[in-house]
Amino acid sequence: MLPFQEKHEKSLLGIALIAMLVLIYNKYLALYPMPLVYQAAMAGVAYLLIASDVLVSAFKTLFKQRRMSEQFLMMIATFGAFALCDLPEALAVMIFYKIGELFEEYASGRAHNDISSLVKLKPSFVRLVDENGNEQKVKPRQVKIGDVFKVLKGEVIAIDGNLCDDTAAIDTSALTGESEPRLYTCGQSVPSGCINQGQVIHLRANTLSKNSSITRLLNLIEDAAASKSKPENLIRRFSVWYTPLVVGCAVILALVPLFFQQAEFSDWIERALVFLVVSCPCALVLSVPLSFFGGMGAISRIGVIIKGSIHIETLSKLKAIAFDKTGTLTYGKFTVNKIHSESLSEDELLSYAVSLEKNSTHPIALSIVEYGRKRKVEEYEVGSVIEKSGMGLESTINGHDVRIGRKEYISSSCGAFEYNEEDAESSYVYISVDNRFSGVIAIADTLKPSAKLMLDSLHAQGIKTVLISGDKKAVAEAICRKLEIRDCYYEQTPQGKLDTLTSLKRTLSPVAFAGDGLNDAPVVSASDVGIAMGDIGSASAIEAADVVIMHGDLSAISRTVILAKKTYNLAISNMYFVMLVKLLILMLGAIGFANIWLAIFGDVGVLILAVCNAMRALSFK
């Protein structure tokens, strides 16, 4: 749009509308109409005020890209109306075309707000605090890992950081879609892009600004515009050959009197103009992409980012989804689920375990320590600790020789003993005191509560589910039994996962894969639709993914598939509706039963109806 038009667009449109009404009155109602030359001057000025950008665009496309656009159709139709002295009709075609553009711009703006509003979540400065407590405002990119910064109540967190204070109430809705604030405790990592709802908090940066959660999210949003779905590409290709075909047909209609003496040029030229106006493909070109973008906006409200509308189409046609286990179907964090003691009380056994395991950084050791401290068991003084790599730890505690570790490590000092490991999903840590078997602590990766609901929903939609995990056979099969997953692939290396998925694609395409770890990045990238868990997922998996779940609620996966199906069906129904209505009016126009006003409805009216229908995607739930 030209600068002058852009600044005064609505005012110019109002002037043209008044001019059109005056011309209608003069042509159809006035007893003493003004001279034709004055009417033509009024129509010409009003036309140029609103249509100059359309004319410029039509000629640019014609001469630079060597193709006819929908603007070219509008130009030809209005020029023809001027030639026939149908002045109000010429203005009406362009006025309603511009109104349709305004309407589409408003609708598209609404759809875009659901996604682009996230850009506002990135603060322009950080309140850096030095060792003496002095505060300095710096740009996020100047903050280094380990720097401490302050966040006031109501402010957005600029960089991921570990909480230095005891607790903090954080609004994570922008990233996760969760309505309730999340409580963080000292040492936990708080993601950027969230809002501090409590008192002033201090965070120690654990990543750089370029790698922070909000920056990664904004990069995902930028990626979303890079991919177009097949229907959108079809429409763009469609308009390339469609416009010259329509112009050719209109020329043939206008030349009919050359072959039939009883036919009148004015009548057949009007039919050709009707044909041109109603055949404008802008309703398809605008409404179908808007349906997809509206669907992306609706999906973003449940905390899911899709990198392009092409993935909405693929999601709507999914036949199977393969899942990783750790960090995807489970939390990826060990928790104590059972304590068995032979001779000591549970608390005393746990005290020995915590006192010894706090000297280790192994994930299982950390989970035992965390569980013991939650139960507030006593922690004993520990002598020098001896670590047997891959086996366990031993030390002297309160004068007792204490060992903790694998079964074979414990049995090597106290002899064979019997204990039935009931749960195949759990890992078992054995403890001996003074060379006597004293008890067992069972630890497992906890299944996410939303996993079963999500899988039940997928099964109800007819989508096959598969587990592809690097875990041992017993653990993987136990998870499959609980979740009713029929196909189970276990002890898979990254290359093995890739080979398994490739095999699945040959029979079940399209196939999605949902994972979170660094080892999942290749298979996420290779799937028809890669899904990454963005709340705990590795940066490489998120980058490789087409769909990112920004929180831990797995039900978002099944909800996304449902929304994708609704969006795709809406876009296709819009295509059929527009084409059928236009075909009907084209046929009526060709045989002389449709005038220019019906043609305007067939173009702009259908456009508005199609856009209104496309906007329903914004309210999908």
Side-chain angles (χ1 to χ4, degrees):
M1 186 174 294
L2 302 180
F4 177 76
Q5 282 184 300
E6 188 172 3
K7 187 176 181 180
H8 304 284
E9 182 179 16
K10 293 180 181 177
S11 298
L12 295 176
L13 199 55
I15 292 171
L17 189 60
I18 292 172
M20 182 190 74
L21 294 175
V22 171
L23 292 170
I24 290 174
Y25 174 79
N26 269 272
K27 183 173 182 178
Y28 298 107
L29 302 174
L31 294 176
Y32 304 101
M34 72 173 68
L36 183 60
V37 63
Y38 294 146
Q39 293 185 47
M42 179 186 296
V45 171
Y47 181 83
L48 290 175
L49 286 175
I50 62 170
S52 52
D53 63 319
V54 176
L55 302 180
V56 170
S57 177
F59 281 114
K60 277 186 177 180
T61 306
L62 183 64
F63 291 111
K64 289 188 176 182
Q65 300 181 22
R66 298 186 183 279
R67 67 179 181 88
M68 299 178 184
S69 62
E70 64 270 13
Q71 289 91 349
F72 185 81
L73 279 181
M74 291 293 99
M75 182 183 72
I76 296 295
T78 50
F79 282 4
F82 274 118
L84 294 175
C85 292
D86 291 331
L87 303 180
E89 287 85 347
L91 269 183
V93 169
M94 194 56 65
I95 287 172
F96 286 108
Y97 176 72
K98 300 293 286 187
I99 290 175
E101 278 191 332
L102 283 175
F103 191 80
E104 184 272 335
E105 183 180 337
Y106 164 74
S108 182
R110 277 199 55 199
H112 192 263
N113 285 341
D114 286 315
I115 299 176
S116 64
S117 60
L118 295 173
V119 177
K120 299 176 183 178
L121 295 175
K122 191 172 184 180
S124 58
F125 66 88
V126 176
R127 302 176 188 275
L128 206 61
V129 179
D130 62 20
E131 296 177 355
N132 299 319
N134 299 318
E135 181 183 322
Q136 178 186 6
K137 288 186 178 180
V138 300
K139 293 182 179 180
R141 67 171 181 267
Q142 295 177 270
V143 178
K144 300 176 182 177
I145 295 176
D147 286 349
V148 176
F149 59 96
K150 180 167 70 174
V151 183
L152 305 182
K153 182 178 182 179
E155 285 188 343
V156 178
I157 298 168
I159 299 173
D160 299 3
N162 296 327
L163 183 64
C164 299
D165 305 295
D166 291 335
T167 59
I170 306 295
D171 177 5
T172 63
S173 59
L175 295 182
T176 66
E178 296 176 7
S179 56
E180 293 185 13
R182 182 175 174 181
L183 185 66
Y184 286 82
T185 56
C186 184
Q188 283 189 303
S189 179
V190 183
S192 56
C194 299
I195 301 172
N196 176 26
Q197 288 199 326
Q199 300 303 312
V200 177
I201 61 173
H202 294 80
L203 301 169
R204 188 177 300 277
N206 59 25
T207 187
L208 299 176
S209 176
K210 64 181 180 180
N211 298 322
S212 64
S213 298
I214 186 60
T215 303
R216 284 159 52 192
L217 178 59
L218 295 177
N219 289 338
L220 294 178
I221 295 170
E222 290 175 4
D223 290 343
S227 231
K228 296 293 182 183
S229 72
K230 290 178 183 177
E232 287 183 69
N233 288 331
L234 173 64
I235 288 170
R236 293 183 184 277
R237 292 196 304 269
F238 170 78
S239 64
V240 170
W241 59 262
Y242 174 78
T243 302
L245 177 63
V246 165
V247 172
C249 291
V251 170
I252 292 172
L253 283 175
L255 297 179
V256 164
L258 293 178
F259 306 99
F260 299 94
Q261 293 184 354
Q262 66 273 26
E264 297 183 4
F265 271 105
S266 59
D267 179 38
W268 284 93
I269 289 176
E270 185 175 355
R271 294 187 191 188
L273 294 178
V274 169
F275 194 89
L276 285 173
V277 172
V278 75
S279 60
C280 178
C282 55
L284 287 174
V285 173
L286 298 178
S287 65
V288 173
L290 183 61
S291 299
F292 281 99
F293 204 75
M296 290 172 66
I299 291 170
S300 74
R301 289 199 299 273
I302 64 172
V304 179
I305 298 297
I306 294 186
K307 299 181 182 179
S309 55
I310 189 171
H311 307 304
I312 290 183
E313 180 183 359
T314 310
L315 281 168
S316 72
K317 299 177 179 179
L318 276 185
K319 292 183 179 179
I321 299 183
F323 294 91
D324 175 47
K325 182 187 80 70
T326 306
T328 304
L329 297 177
T330 66
Y331 284 108
K333 184 179 180 182
F334 290 105
T335 56
V336 175
N337 60 10
K338 184 179 180 180
I339 299 177
H340 167 76
S341 180
E342 288 281 317
S343 56
L344 308 173
S345 68
E346 280 193 6
D347 280 355
E348 190 175 4
L349 184 73
L350 192 56
S351 289
Y352 280 127
V354 170
S355 300
L356 197 51
E357 292 282 38
K358 67 183 179 182
N359 297 284
S360 173
T361 58
H362 192 281
I364 290 180
L366 296 175
S367 65
I368 292 174
V369 173
E370 181 181 0
Y371 178 78
R373 286 175 175 170
K374 282 183 180 178
R375 283 184 56 162
K376 298 182 179 179
V377 298
E378 186 179 357
E379 296 182 32
Y380 303 130
E381 290 293 327
V382 179
S384 59
V385 177
I386 300 173
E387 180 176 359
K388 300 293 184 181
S389 180
M391 296 298 291
L393 303 172
E394 63 178 277
S395 185
T396 301
I397 303 176
N398 292 342
H400 298 285
D401 181 20
V402 181
R403 291 191 177 197
I404 186 168
R406 300 176 64 152
K407 185 175 183 178
E408 51 267 37
Y409 177 58
I410 302 302
S411 63
S412 66
S413 63
C414 62
F417 57 87
E418 292 295 327
Y419 179 77
N420 182 27
E421 297 182 355
E422 302 170 351
D423 188 357
E425 298 174 52
S426 299
S427 296
Y428 292 87
V429 177
Y430 294 84
I431 304 168
S432 69
V433 179
D434 292 331
N435 296 326
R436 291 182 59 189
F437 170 59
S438 300
V440 175
I441 298 176
I443 297 167
D445 187 0
T446 308
L447 194 67
K448 292 181 180 179
S450 56
K452 186 67 168 65
L453 293 173
M454 178 267 297
L455 287 162
D456 287 345
S457 176
L458 292 175
H459 293 155
Q461 297 177 57
I463 297 174
K464 184 176 182 178
T465 55
V466 180
L467 181 69
I468 305 177
S469 174
D471 268 319
K472 58 187 179 181
K473 178 180 179 181
V475 174
E477 289 182 341
I479 288 289
C480 287
R481 283 194 298 272
K482 279 189 175 182
L483 298 178
E484 299 180 4
I485 298 175
R486 292 185 179 180
D487 291 355
C488 179
Y489 299 88
Y490 47 84
E491 298 177 5
Q492 298 274 298
T493 63
Q495 182 61 50
K497 288 184 176 183
L498 194 58
D499 294 340
T500 300
L501 184 84
T502 303
S503 177
L504 288 173
K505 286 174 66 176
R506 283 196 287 265
T507 56
L508 292 170
S509 188
V511 179
F513 181 87
D516 75 299
L518 179 63
N519 65 328
D520 292 328
V523 69
V524 165
S525 180
S527 61
D528 295 309
V529 178
I531 303 172
M533 308 303 295
D535 59 331
I536 59 173
S538 71
S540 57
I542 292 172
E543 175 136 359
D546 307 306
V547 178
V548 180
I549 313 296
M550 300 305 298
H551 48 78
D553 185 2
L554 287 171
S555 64
I557 294 177
S558 54
R559 290 170 66 192
T560 298
V561 174
I562 291 171
L563 289 173
K565 288 180 177 179
K566 288 183 177 181
T567 301
Y568 184 71
N569 290 337
L570 177 63
I572 296 301
S573 66
N574 251 350
M575 288 179 65
Y576 287 133
F577 166 73
V578 171
M579 288 190 290
L580 286 173
V581 172
K582 283 183 174 290
L583 181 61
L584 178 62
I585 299 177
L586 282 172
M587 292 171 63
L588 292 175
I591 60 177
F593 286 99
N595 59 20
I596 195 73
W597 293 104
L598 184 58
I600 290 172
F601 167 77
D603 177 37
V604 180
V606 170
L607 166 64
I608 292 175
L609 290 175
V611 168
C612 285
N613 191 37
M615 287 178 67
R616 291 195 298 116
L618 296 168
S619 60
F620 284 163
K621 294 181 181 179

